[in-house]
Amino acid sequence: MVIKTSSMARSPPLLALVALLLSLCLLSLASTAVGWSRRGEEDERRHGGGEGGRPYHFGEESFRHWTRTRHGRFSVLERFSDEVIQGAVGDYRVAVLEAAPRAFLQPSHYDADEVFYVKEGEGVLVLLRDGRRESFCVREGDAMVIPAGAIVYSANTHSSKWFRVVMLLNPVSTPGRFEEYFPVGGDRPESFFSAFSDDVLQAAFNTRREEWEKVFERQREGGEITTAPEEQIRELSKSCSRGGSGSEWEIKPFSLTGKRPSYSNNHGRLFEIDGDECRHLRKLDMLIGLANITRGSMMAPSYSTHATKVAIVLQGSGYFEMACPHMSGDRSERHREREHGRRREEWGRKEEEEEEEEHGRGQKTRSYKKVRAQVREGSVIVIPAAHPATIVAGDDENLAVLCIGVAANYDDKVFLAGRNSLLKQLDDPAKALVFGGSAARDVDQVLAAQPEQIFLRGPHGRGSVSDM
Ligand SMILES: *[C@@H]1O[C@H](CO)[C@@H](O)[C@H](O)[C@H]1NC(C)=O
């Protein structure tokens, strides 16, 4: 170990950030990794904040079933209502659709634009919009945008495998709230037409109400997700396509995992689709990425300049860590504890700011809270812009994480450790000023010690540097 973590405490406040970033980089090298995590857990126990990664991490228990039948489920994640993340992603919702073999999903439209990714299986997806019908065959690894208001019906075309889709919805009228509208229904779901008066419907359809009802309010077994005979599924998927190569505005599935990775090494692969490739993503100010991290490896600590990432774990397990200024107060609190000989149970942000004014003569406390959470298939993480974060794959299998970025059009990903670390761009005179002149060689050594970039050997990976 070259730099001890205690050097951070001695750093002048202005340089504390750089020191923190450095120590984050060093996490992967730290021979004291176990000590670190033990300290972190202690902090979590003492302060409550960050425990289980709240409010940035959501487990399976945070999903509610909107639909749950024998043939499938539609589950929606609770709103991002915590004040810390609400501003960035509070308008959006995460949902998961699971359809049994040969399940059929009734036509409906959402008051939300939708970006989805096919996690498993295959299906046919039919969109009615712009006065016409478009039918797409989608399969595992595909990403696609469905514009708000399109009437969509779909089916699992496989006879034995489930069809699973994860999605991020951007409601068009009420932030963070969306509804599903079924034209045809019965008991559940109801047809939205049934809200209209008889005479209005009769006039609109030029048909007697009873005739209309016979067609539109047929009682079906199973509600919005039913099952279909094999030949009907085959018939339905007969005309499905992968979309032409027509206009750049064409709606079509993109194979995210089938394209060339934007980066790849032994420790992982990164696939991305942005607004250049899919104009609808640009319009929605979103991007889609998939990081497939090799078991025992990690993603280099990094932050996004503008985008807030909603990350959904597709496969595997591991953990994520993030430095978070909003939940800070640890060090200052400990300091104050010593000063006043008292202990604070809760440390609200507002209170903290007031206290800062009081004690710091107008200076803001510069410290960061470690947010850490175990993640596994189905976990959702929110990583706000500018927050340095990393994710580490478990030792048993690859960790695949789908990242949907919002506010992504001007986004840049900044790596803080590894060959492409932005910190390497510090010039020599600055290095001397920032790290102290005598340590210049040590600085270069530390910054150059990681030969890999983007995907690195993890803290517990075989033959890791920390064993040296
Ligand atoms: C991640 O990579 C592994 C190894 O190549 C592969 O088996 C797995 O299907 C990938 N996961 C996803 C979600 O693409």
Side-chain angles (χ1 to χ4, degrees), residues 117 119 140 257 269 271 290 292-293 314-315 398-401:
Y117 174 81
K119 184 178 171 229
E140 188 173 320
T257 51
R269 273 172 299 154
F271 303 92
L290 194 155
N292 192 334
I293 310 169
L314 301 171
Q315 178 190 22
N398 278 23
L399 176 63
V401 183

Side-chain angles (χ1 to χ4, degrees), residues 102 157-159 228-237:
R102 286 197 282 103
T157 46
H158 205 277
S159 55
E230 193 136 15
E231 63 273 19
Q232 272 180 25
I233 296 279
R234 208 178 310 122
E235 202 60 30
L236 201 64
S237 51

